[in-house]
Amino acid sequence: MTMTLLLIFGVFLITLFLNIPIAMGLGIAGLTVVLVEDAVPLSFLIQTTFGSSDSFPLLAIPFFILAGEIMSTGGIARRLIDFVQNIVGSITGSLGLITIIASLIFAAISGSGAATVASIGAITIPYMLKNGYSKPYAASIAASAGTLGPIIPPSITFILYGVMASVSIGDMFIAGLIPGLLMATALVVINYIISKKEGFGGAKNVGEKISFWKSLNEAKWALLAPVIILGGIYGGIVTPTEAAVIAVVYSLIVSVFIYKEFKLNQLLDVFLRATTVSGTIMIFVSTASFFGKVLALKQIPQYIAGVIADFTTNPIIILLLINIFLLIVGAFMETVAAILLFVPLLLPIVLPLGIDPIHFGIIVCLNLALGLITPPLGLNIFIASNIARIRFEQSLKYFIPIFTTLLIVLLIVTFIPQVSLFLPNLLSK
Amino acid sequence: MSDKKRRPIEGYMCFGLLLTMTFVMFIGVIFRYVFNASLSWSEELSRYLFIWFIFISTSYAVTERAHIRVEALNGLVPKKIRPYINIIGRIIWFAFSLFVTYLGVTYALSMTTSVSAAMKLPMSLVYFGIPLGYFLMSLRLFFQIIESIKNPEIEIQEIHDDLVKEE
C-alpha cells in the first residue's frame, strides 16, 4: 500500500518537474504502477481511456467552449455591456458595476472564467482606464468578475465534477445559481466600497446617449441566449449537452446573420481556438480516470479517508481543512486538473459524513474559482493584467479586500448547505 | 492569426469533426423536439466522432504547445540544466505516446468482431481514434525533440510562451 502510494505520486511529481503536461504525467504514473505491480492487464489503460471518453454529458464541454469563442468574436459581449451601461447609468463605481453585471450575464452563456474575462474585460478594462480608474483596479475587478464564469451555470467545471462524482449535471447547474448570485452581490458591495474610497465614478463623456429601448433592442438577441440555455435545462426540456449544441447554433446565427460581425472565413480560426482549449481539457478526463482507477484498485482513496477519519470526523473541521487545501491547490494548479485529480480522492472522505455530493461539488468549484484570482497562478489575473498592460504583480494591489469578500461567500456556501441545495430540492419536487 | 498561416493537419481534421458533431447533434435535437422522433444514430455518431476529436485535438494542442503544466514546479529546476531536463521530459512523454499507440492498435484489432448498437459501426474503427491521436502526438513530439536538441533554449522559451498563450 505505502509502496504503491509512494510510487504513483512519486512518479507523478517527477513528471511535473520534467515539464511534462499534467494530463500525461497522470497517465505515465498510472502506467508505471500497472507495469511494476502487474496487477491488471495493460489493455486496462485503453479500456478506461475509451470508457471515460465515451460520454454523452462530456460532449457538452467542446460545445460550450465553442459557443463562448463564437460569442466573444461576434459582437454579443459589446451589446450586453452597452445595455447594462444604459441601466446602471453614472454612479459611484458604475463602470466596475457594469463589468460585474455584464460578466454575470456572459457567465450564463459561457462555461469558463477565462472566456468571461477575455470577452468582457477586453471591452470594459480600456473603458475604465479612459474614465480615471487605476490600472490595478480595472484589472482586478474584471478578473474577479470572471470568477462568476465557472459558478454561474452553464459551467465546464460543473460538468467535469458531475461526471467524476456521478451526480446529475442538470442538478449541479441548478445548484450553482444562488451561490453565483451571492458572489456577484459580494463583488458589487466591495466594488462600491473601493470605488467610493478611491473616487472611481462613471463614464465622463458617454457620447450620444442612446435610449433604453434602443439598447434593449440591440441586446435582445444576446439577452435571449441565457434564457434559452438555462430555461431549457432548468425546465427539464433539454439535456445540458443538447443545450450546449443549441448555444453553438444560436450564437452562430446571431453573430453571422443578425449582428453581422462574424465573417464565415473566421469560422476556422474560432473552431481551432475551441479545439486547442478542449484538446487540453478532454485528454485529462481519460488519463485522470485511468489514474483514479489505478488508485481505487489499490484502495488508496479509502486509505487516505481512513487516515483522516482517525484524525477527526467532525464535518465542520474536515470541510474547513478541505477548503484550505483546495485554496492552496487552486493557487498552483489549473482548475480542470485539480477537479479531475482531487475529486476522486476527496469524495470518499466527505460522503460518509453525510455531506451532499452536489453541495460538495459547489464547494469544490467555488474554491477553485477563487484560485483563478490567487497568485502565483491566477489565470484570470494573467488575462486581465495583460489587457490593462500592467505586470501581474501590480494588479495584486486590491487582491486582499476582493479575495476576503469572496472568501466570506465561500464560507457561507460551505456551512449553509441550503444555499446550494434549496433550488435543486425545490425543482425536484 | 492570419488566414494564410499553414496549419497542422490535425487542425483541419478537428475542424471537420467538430463541425460534423455540431451538425449531427443539432439534427438530432431538431428531430426530437420538432418532429417528435428520436434519431437513434445521431447521439451514437456524435459520441464516436467525439472520441476521435478528443485524441486528435490533443495532438493539435501539442502543435500549439498549449498543454497544461505546473510551471511553478518546473521553475524550481535550475535554469542552467532546465532545457536538458525538459528534453528528457519530452522524450519520456514521446515514449509514453508511442506505447499507448501500440496498446491502442492491439486493442482495436482485438475488437474486429463487435459492432456498435445503433449504426452497426465496427467498434475497432471507433477505438482506432485513440492510437491515431497518440501516434500523431508522438510524431509532433519527435520533431519537437529534434528541434530542442538543436537549440535547447527553445525549452525555456516555451514556458513563457505557454503563459502568453493563456493570456
Side-chain angles (χ1 to χ4, degrees), chain A residues 13 15-24 27-28 31 35 42-47 49-51 53-56 58-63 66 114 118 237-239 241-242 245-246 248-249 253 265-269 271-276 278-284 286-287 290 332-334 336-337 376-377 379 382-383 385-386, chain B residues 1-3 7 10-12 14-15 18-19 21-23 25-26 28-29 32-33 43 46-48 50-51 53-58 60-61 64 66-74 76-77 82 85-90 92-93 96-97 99-100 103-105 107-108 123 126-127 130-131 134 137 155 158-159 162-167:
Chain A
L13 209 62
T15 64
L16 298 185
F17 273 105
L18 295 177
N19 205 33
I20 295 174
I22 312 173
M24 292 297 136
I28 293 168
L31 183 65
L35 284 172
L42 282 167
S43 56
F44 184 67
L45 172 71
I46 302 296
Q47 283 163 356
T49 302
F50 185 85
S53 308
D54 182 20
S55 152
F56 192 64
L58 281 179
L59 198 47
I61 292 180
F63 287 137
L66 183 57
I237 305 166
V238 292
T239 63
T241 309
E242 289 169 337
V245 82
I246 293 171
V248 170
V249 175
I253 291 174
N265 60 19
Q266 288 174 287
L267 203 62
L268 183 63
D269 272 342
F271 269 63
L272 288 186
R273 280 208 298 277
T275 298
T276 308
S278 47
T280 56
I281 294 179
M282 297 313 306
I283 188 67
F284 251 111
S286 60
T287 56
F290 172 62
F332 286 95
M333 205 181 228
E334 219 274 337
V336 172
L377 192 94
L379 183 55
F382 270 119
I383 300 170
S385 50
N386 196 37
Chain B
M1 249 187 242
S2 80
D3 292 22
R7 296 174 210 279
E10 291 94 325
Y12 295 103
C14 288
F15 176 67
L18 193 52
L19 200 64
M21 276 154 58
T22 311
F23 188 68
M25 274 283 297
F26 192 64
V29 172
R32 210 178 117 193
Y33 296 102
E43 186 194 315
S46 31
R47 248 176 36 228
Y48 290 161
F50 182 44
I51 304 247
F53 174 77
I54 293 176
F55 297 97
I56 297 172
S57 68
T58 301
Y60 180 73
E64 292 276 300
H67 278 289
I68 302 161
R69 300 177 163 90
V70 185
E71 278 90 8
L73 285 183
N74 187 244
L76 296 178
V77 177
R82 209 185 298 155
I85 292 287
N86 292 0
I87 291 175
I88 294 171
R90 211 173 279 275
I92 296 174
W93 179 10
F96 173 72
S97 310
F99 190 62
V100 178
L103 292 179
V105 171
Y107 199 84
M123 284 310 283
V126 180
Y127 270 88
I130 301 175
Y134 272 97
M137 176 154 72
E155 286 289 343
E158 188 185 325
I159 297 171
D162 277 357
L163 292 181
V164 172
K165 212 145 266 156
E166 285 180 348
E167 284 165 11

Side-chain angles (χ1 to χ4, degrees), chain A residues 89-391:
Chain A
S90 218
I91 53 172
T92 299
S94 65
L95 298 185
L97 184 59
I98 291 165
T99 307
I100 298 166
I101 299 176
S103 298
L104 179 73
I105 303 173
F106 195 84
I109 314 174
S110 111
S112 87
T116 309
V117 185
S119 313
I120 301 296
I123 301 170
T124 61
I125 290 174
Y127 194 41
M128 281 190 270
L129 299 185
K130 225 184 282 168
N131 287 286
Y133 283 57
S134 71
K135 282 185 173 187
Y137 188 68
S140 302
I141 199 70
S144 24
T147 59
L148 297 170
I151 303 300
I152 294 286
S155 150
I156 289 163
T157 47
F158 284 1
I159 298 172
L160 288 171
Y161 177 86
V163 169
M164 292 312 274
S166 322
V167 297
S168 146
I169 289 158
D171 281 351
M172 283 296 294
F173 279 8
I174 294 165
L177 190 63
I178 295 180
L181 291 174
L182 213 55
M183 280 169 77
T185 314
L187 286 173
V188 167
V189 172
I190 190 74
N191 170 62
Y192 182 81
I193 295 172
I194 295 177
S195 300
K196 181 122 197 163
K197 188 166 153 258
E198 307 267 351
F200 299 145
K204 284 181 193 99
N205 30 25
V206 188
E208 56 172 318
K209 178 112 172 72
I210 52 169
S211 75
F212 170 78
W213 293 111
K214 185 155 186 285
S215 79
L216 177 65
N217 192 40
E218 277 277 299
K220 68 176 182 244
W221 298 106
L223 290 169
L224 204 58
V227 176
I228 294 174
I229 297 168
L230 294 184
I233 298 171
Y234 285 7
I237 305 166
V238 292
T239 63
T241 309
E242 289 169 337
V245 82
I246 293 171
V248 170
V249 175
Y250 180 85
S251 53
L252 256 183
I253 291 174
V254 171
S255 308
V256 174
F257 297 109
I258 298 176
Y259 291 160
K260 299 194 174 73
E261 284 187 25
F262 186 98
K263 306 269 173 325
L264 273 177
N265 60 19
Q266 288 174 287
L267 203 62
L268 183 63
D269 272 342
V270 167
F271 269 63
L272 288 186
R273 280 208 298 277
T275 298
T276 308
V277 178
S278 47
T280 56
I281 294 179
M282 297 313 306
I283 188 67
F284 251 111
V285 177
S286 60
T287 56
S289 305
F290 172 62
F291 185 84
K293 285 260 168 66
V294 173
L295 289 182
L297 214 64
K298 296 284 163 189
Q299 309 250 316
I300 289 172
Q302 289 81 347
Y303 172 75
I304 295 175
V307 171
I308 291 176
D310 286 344
F311 172 62
T312 174
T313 50
N314 182 333
I316 294 182
I317 294 178
I318 287 184
L319 281 179
L320 216 51
L321 289 177
I322 289 178
N323 273 333
I324 295 170
F325 173 72
L326 286 174
L327 285 174
I328 297 171
V329 164
F332 286 95
M333 205 181 228
E334 219 274 337
T335 317
V336 172
I339 289 199
L340 293 169
L341 187 55
F342 292 112
V343 165
L345 289 174
L346 293 174
L347 274 177
I349 301 174
V350 296
L351 291 185
L353 302 173
I355 294 164
D356 188 286
I358 290 180
H359 175 212
F360 186 64
I362 305 293
I363 299 176
V364 171
C365 294
L366 198 53
N367 261 300
L368 298 174
L370 281 181
L372 293 173
I373 56 161
T374 315
L377 192 94
L379 183 55
N380 283 9
I381 299 195
F382 270 119
I383 300 170
S385 50
N386 196 37
I387 300 171
R389 302 202 168 280
I390 47 171
R391 283 203 314 277

